[in-house]
Amino acid sequence: MAAYEELAYDGSPQMGVHSAVCWNAASTWGAQAAQVVISVVLARLLLPQDYGILAMATVVIGFLNLFRTMGFSAVVIQRPHLNDELLSTLFYVNFVVACGLALLAAGAAPVCTWIYGDPRVAPIMAAMGTTFVFTASAVVPSALLIRQMSFRRLAIANITGVLVSGSASISLALAGYGVWALVVGSIAGTVTETALYHALCPWHPKLLFRWSEVRSVFGFGANVTGFNFFNYFARNTDSAIIGAFLGANPLGLYSLAYGIMLRPLDAVTNVLGKVLFPAFSRMQHDDARLKAAYLRACGAIAFVTFPMMLGLVAVAHPFVEVVLGEKWLPAVPLIMILAPLGAIRSVGETAGQMLLARGRADWYFRWGAASSVAYVCCFFAGLPWGVIGVAVSYLITSSALMVFGVWIASKFVAELTLRNIGAELWPYVVQSVIMAALAAACRATMEQLQIGTGVVLIASVAIGIVAYFTIAFMARPIALRDFLAMLPSRWVARRFRNPLVSRPEEPDVAANPSELP
C-alpha cells in the first residue's frame, strides 16, 4: 500500500459511533434550521418568478447531478484498503466527468430556453453547471472524512457552506439582483464547502493515474450510479402521474402530505444512514459483529421513526388544521396513509447500506431497478381510485418491497434472518401503537368536549411523548440506552445503564461510546 494505508479497516482510529451520530445530527439539523431562516428572509426579498426561473434550470441540473460522483464516493468508503494511486485516479476521473457535465449543462441551456420560452434560463443553467467542477473535486476528500467518521469536520464544512450561501444570497437580494442572488449564493456556498473539505482532509491528490484502478472499481461505481438513476425516477414518477392524470389540486395535496412524511424521516435516516455505511464497512468481514450491528441499527431507527410516524397518524387532523390551515384538511387522509410508509422506509433503507458495505453493489443496482418498476406499476394501479388509491398502493407496495429487500440483504450475512429482524422491531411496533392509541384517545375525548384545536394538538402530542417514554423506560430496550448515551449529559447515560439490557455479543456502548458491536 502507498501513503494512505492507514485507512485500512483494521483497527485504525475512528470517532465513536455515538459521537459520529451526534456530530452528523448537529450538522444536518443545524444546516436545516439555518436554511429555514434563510429561506424565510429570501422569500420576503424575492419574487415568486425568481424561484420559478431557478426551478426551471434545476430540473436539468438535478438530473445531471446523478452522475456527478460516478459512485466513487461509496467506493472510497467501502473498500477495505486504499492507496494513493486509487484515490488520485478517482479524483481525476471525477474531475473530468464533472467538466463534461458542466459542458452538457451549458449545451442544454439553449434547448431549455426554447422549451420554457424564457431567455433567462440559459445563463443560469450555465452558471449552475460550474458547481459540478467544484463538487467533483470534493468527492474523494469528503468520502475519506466519512470513512474516518470525522463528522465534526464534515459538520464544520457543511454548516459554514450553508451560512456563506445564505449570507451571499441575502446580500445580493437586498441589492436587487433577483434570481441571481439565489444562483450566486449557491455557487458561493459550494465553493466554500469544497475548500473546507480540502483543508480539513489530510489527503491531497498526487500526480498518479492508472486505468487498472478505474477498472477495478468501475463495476461497483456503475452499479451505485445505476441505482441512483432508477431511484431518482421512482421518487418522482408518482408526482408526474398524479399531475398528468388527476390534476394540480390532487397533486398539491399529495405533495404536501409526502413532504410532511419525508422531512422528519430524512432528518433521522440521513443522520443515521451516513454513519451506518462506514460503520458497517469497517466490520464487513466479521459476520457476527455485522449481524449484531445491523440489528441494533434497525432497533435504533425504529425507536425514533415508528412513534414519530404513528403519532402523526393519531394527530393528523388537528396538526393540519393548526399548522397549515383548514384549506389543507383534505390532505389529512393522505398524511394518515403516507406516515406509516415513512416508518417502513426508514427500516427498509438499511438494506441498501448493508449491501454496499458487503461490496454487493450489483445486488444494490438490481434491487433499485426492480423496485422502480414495481413502484411505477403500483402508481398506475392505484389511479382508478384517485390520489387516495395511489397512496394506498404506494404503502402496500413499499411494505412488500421492504420485507423483500431486507431479506435479500440478510442473505449476505451469516445467521441474519427475517425472524431476527422482526424480533428486533416488534417491541417498537407495540410501543408505538400503544402510544398512538393513547394520543388518539386523548384527541377524541378533547374534541368531544369541544376544546380548542390548538390545545387538543398540544395535549395529544404531550400524552403521546410521555406514554412512549414511560413504556420505553419500563422495557429498557437497547435503543433507549443508545439514545441516552448520545445525550450531552454523560450522567444521564450512566444513570440508565442496565447490564440486564445488554446482549452477550454486544459491548456496553453506554460505558464506552466509541465501540459498536
Side-chain angles (χ1 to χ4, degrees):
M1 293 296 133
Y4 233 72
E5 186 177 11
E6 66 270 19
L7 278 183
Y9 286 138
D10 55 6
S12 57
Q14 65 181 82
M15 175 183 285
V17 171
H18 285 159
S19 298
V21 172
C22 289
W23 276 108
N24 196 25
S27 171
T28 302
W29 298 339
Q32 287 179 347
Q35 286 172 338
V36 168
V37 174
I38 292 167
S39 297
V40 170
V41 175
L42 288 173
R44 294 178 176 275
L45 296 174
L46 300 175
L47 299 174
Q49 68 174 358
D50 295 326
Y51 288 94
I53 296 169
L54 183 67
M56 294 176 186
T58 53
V59 169
V60 176
I61 297 297
F63 176 74
L64 294 177
N65 193 54
L66 294 174
F67 307 94
R68 177 178 57 87
T69 70
M70 297 291 291
F72 292 159
S73 179
V75 169
V76 173
I77 298 169
Q78 187 273 336
R79 292 270 286 204
H81 298 274
L82 297 176
N83 58 69
D84 274 323
E85 289 181 345
L86 173 64
L87 295 176
S88 297
T89 298
L90 297 184
F91 177 88
Y92 294 123
V93 171
N94 258 135
F95 188 79
V96 171
V97 169
C99 291
L101 292 175
L103 292 175
L104 278 176
V111 178
C112 291
T113 295
W114 174 74
I115 292 173
Y116 291 118
D118 194 321
R120 292 173 293 180
V121 175
I124 291 173
M125 278 189 61
M128 292 185 68
T130 62
T131 60
F132 289 128
V133 179
F134 297 108
T135 55
S137 72
V139 168
V140 173
S142 62
L144 287 172
L145 291 174
I146 295 173
R147 176 188 175 93
Q148 293 174 306
M149 303 182 77
S150 298
F151 287 97
R152 180 175 62 85
R153 297 180 181 183
L154 288 165
I156 292 171
N158 187 19
I159 294 177
T160 303
V162 170
L163 293 177
V164 169
S165 174
S167 300
S169 294
I170 291 173
S171 299
L172 291 172
L174 287 170
Y177 282 90
V179 66
W180 283 99
L182 299 173
V183 176
V184 175
S186 176
I187 296 174
T190 298
V191 172
T192 301
E193 194 169 351
T194 299
L196 286 173
Y197 283 141
H198 284 283
L200 296 172
C201 180
W203 178 85
H204 300 289
K206 311 295 190 300
L207 293 176
L208 300 170
F209 186 90
R210 295 207 174 189
W211 278 112
S212 59
E213 298 289 359
V214 177
R215 289 194 295 269
S216 70
V217 300
F218 181 79
F220 189 100
N223 281 315
V224 172
T225 302
F227 173 88
N228 292 335
F229 177 83
F230 281 106
N231 192 50
Y232 176 84
F233 283 102
R235 293 283 179 99
N236 293 278
T237 302
D238 51 350
S239 295
I241 291 173
I242 293 172
F245 290 93
L246 301 178
N249 189 62
L251 177 58
L253 296 174
Y254 181 87
S255 299
L256 176 78
Y258 191 88
I260 290 174
M261 175 272 291
L262 198 61
R263 287 185 183 278
L265 178 65
D266 283 348
V268 176
T269 56
N270 284 349
V271 167
L272 293 176
K274 194 178 254 187
V275 177
L276 288 180
F277 181 28
F280 286 164
S281 296
R282 285 180 177 271
M283 56 190 79
Q284 60 184 282
H285 299 302
D286 188 338
D287 279 7
R289 293 182 68 224
L290 189 55
K291 171 189 171 184
Y294 181 74
L295 291 174
R296 194 157 178 175
C298 288
I301 292 172
F303 178 78
V304 177
T305 60
F306 283 17
M308 185 187 300
M309 295 292 102
L310 294 185
L312 181 57
V313 173
V315 299
H317 191 284
F319 171 81
V320 171
E321 186 174 348
V322 171
V323 177
L324 303 175
E326 293 186 2
K327 66 180 179 181
W328 290 105
L329 284 177
V332 169
L334 289 170
I335 293 173
M336 296 178 70
I337 295 168
L338 294 178
L341 170 64
I344 292 167
R345 276 179 47 177
S346 68
V347 175
E349 289 180 0
T350 60
Q353 306 294 335
M354 176 68 80
L355 290 172
L356 288 179
R358 292 307 295 257
R360 299 314 304 258
D362 53 342
W363 276 98
Y364 186 63
F365 167 72
R366 292 168 190 166
W367 172 243
S371 298
S372 299
V373 173
Y375 280 131
V376 172
C377 292
C378 91
F379 297 145
F380 279 109
L383 267 180
W385 293 272
V387 68
I388 296 293
V390 173
V392 171
S393 183
Y394 195 2
L395 174 60
I396 294 172
T397 304
S398 292
S399 302
L401 289 175
M402 185 274 285
V403 174
F404 189 53
V406 170
W407 176 78
I408 291 174
S410 70
K411 293 303 175 183
F412 296 100
V413 182
E415 298 184 3
L416 180 62
T417 65
L418 283 178
R419 185 185 295 271
N420 299 145
I421 300 168
E424 183 71 35
L425 298 177
W426 180 247
Y428 305 109
V429 174
V430 173
Q431 294 173 28
S432 300
V433 169
I434 294 174
M435 176 276 299
L438 291 173
C442 172
R443 186 209 70 214
T445 301
M446 297 183 73
E447 287 175 345
Q448 287 291 327
L449 297 174
Q450 297 184 343
I451 297 175
T453 308
V455 177
V456 170
L457 177 61
I458 293 172
S460 301
V461 171
I463 289 291
I465 293 173
V466 171
Y468 186 74
F469 278 97
T470 298
I471 298 170
F473 278 113
M474 291 173 63
R476 297 278 181 111
I478 291 289
L480 173 65
R481 192 163 58 101
D482 289 346
F483 174 77
L484 293 173
M486 289 186 290
L487 294 178
S489 173
R490 294 294 183 187
W491 178 87
V492 174
R494 291 194 299 270
R495 170 68 181 81
F496 291 100
R497 177 183 169 191
N498 183 356
L500 296 177
V501 182
S502 298
R503 296 172 183 150
E505 69 271 19
E506 298 184 38
D508 190 342
V509 293
N512 186 4
S514 67
E515 296 186 15
L516 183 73

